[in-house]
Structure formats: structure tokens, C-alpha cells
Amino acid sequence: MSNKHLIGLKGESFTFHVTLEHIQAFARAIGDASPLYFDEEYAKTTAYGRITAPPTYPIAIGAAGGAIDLQLDQRRMLHGEQAFIYERPIVPGDVLTCDAVVSDVYEKQGKNGTMEFIVLDTHMYDAEGRLVVTSRTNIVYRAAQQHV
């Protein structure tokens, strides 16, 4: 079932403009009322020194573009894991250039046979070209059902 040929496959680069309003709408949508996302005066007293985006905010950025067409049966795909690897917080005013790539494909034995894992990394760079965050999605690709 190996799909190792997918490694290196890229999505189309896209740009995302981070706004205070979008950060706050995202925070409200996930039910996080932390003043770090809403109150500039409070945010100035934190280690960040200003309003920042919630840690899971890159989900909203990734939904804005750059999808990779894996050409696989989507009925066999499961979202397995999500991770965010930060170099610095995302803040209002950031203009992020985003590049998605299949960074790895590997297999593990499960109760019902071999499962394949496809790792998608979306790297998000600021206007100076510095990496801000990598959003890592791990997709579980289940084996096709064998009909006897």
C-alpha cells in the first residue's frame, strides 16, 4: 500500500493576512475568552507583550489555501494528529506566506492490518522570510477493504 511517491508533493503557495478581527473571531469560535486575544492592555503585561493568536490558529490559515491533491480515496482517510511547531507567536499584522508539502509517509501495524501515515507540513513564513510556525497534519490512510 506504499504511497512513498507522495513525499515532496507540494501545494500551491498562498499568502494570509492576519488581522486582529480574525484572531478574535477564531478565539470566540473555539470558546477561548482569554484576554490575551482581546485586551491589548492585558496582553502588554504578558511575556508576549501584545495580542497573539491562539495556539491552534494555524488551522484557520491552512483552511485558506494551499491544499495538496493526494489523489487518494478520501473515504479511507482519517485525521490522525495535529501539531503546531512555533518559532514565535502569530500576531495581528503578520503577512504569512504558506507552503504545504508532504514531508513523510510511513507505515505501522494496527489491529486490523497495516496503516499508512501521511505527514503534511504547512510552513508559514513572515514578510522577512523567517519561519513563524509549521502546522503538521498526520493523516491515517486505511487499507482498502478486502471482499471475500
Side-chain angles (χ1 to χ4, degrees):
M1 160 167 77
S2 180
N3 283 299
K4 289 221 177 253
H5 67 280
L6 295 173
I7 296 173
L9 187 64
K10 295 180 180 183
E12 201 168 309
S13 291
F14 65 99
T15 301
F16 188 88
H17 296 263
V18 179
T19 66
L20 175 62
E21 296 77 19
H22 195 259
I23 287 172
Q24 292 174 342
F26 182 84
R28 280 191 292 278
I30 63 171
D32 192 337
S34 169
L36 183 57
Y37 315 131
F38 296 96
D39 182 345
E40 188 69 48
E41 292 307 311
Y42 169 81
K44 285 179 184 175
T45 69
T46 70
Y48 304 108
R50 64 183 297 188
I51 287 179
T52 66
T56 57
Y57 186 73
I59 288 285
I61 297 171
I68 301 174
D69 183 4
L70 299 174
Q71 298 184 354
L72 298 174
D73 183 354
Q74 291 191 359
R75 295 171 297 178
R76 294 171 41 204
M77 295 173 135
L78 297 170
H79 185 273
E81 185 176 58
Q82 187 74 45
F84 306 102
I85 305 147
Y86 276 88
E87 302 300 319
R88 70 157 175 84
I90 296 171
V91 297
D94 274 340
V95 177
L96 301 175
T97 300
C98 307
D99 299 306
V101 63
V102 177
S103 61
D104 196 11
V105 175
Y106 61 94
E107 294 180 349
K108 283 188 178 180
Q109 278 303 118
K111 288 187 278 185
N112 298 322
T114 302
M115 296 182 301
E116 191 168 52
F117 294 81
I118 302 166
V119 182
L120 306 174
D121 284 338
T122 301
H123 305 288
M124 302 177 189
Y125 301 92
D126 64 18
E128 288 77 40
R130 293 182 300 245
L131 182 63
V132 174
V133 63
T134 299
S135 177
R136 177 165 290 155
T137 304
N138 204 327
I139 296 171
V140 180
Y141 193 59
R142 298 174 294 144
Q145 295 294 322
Q146 301 296 320
H147 298 284
V148 187

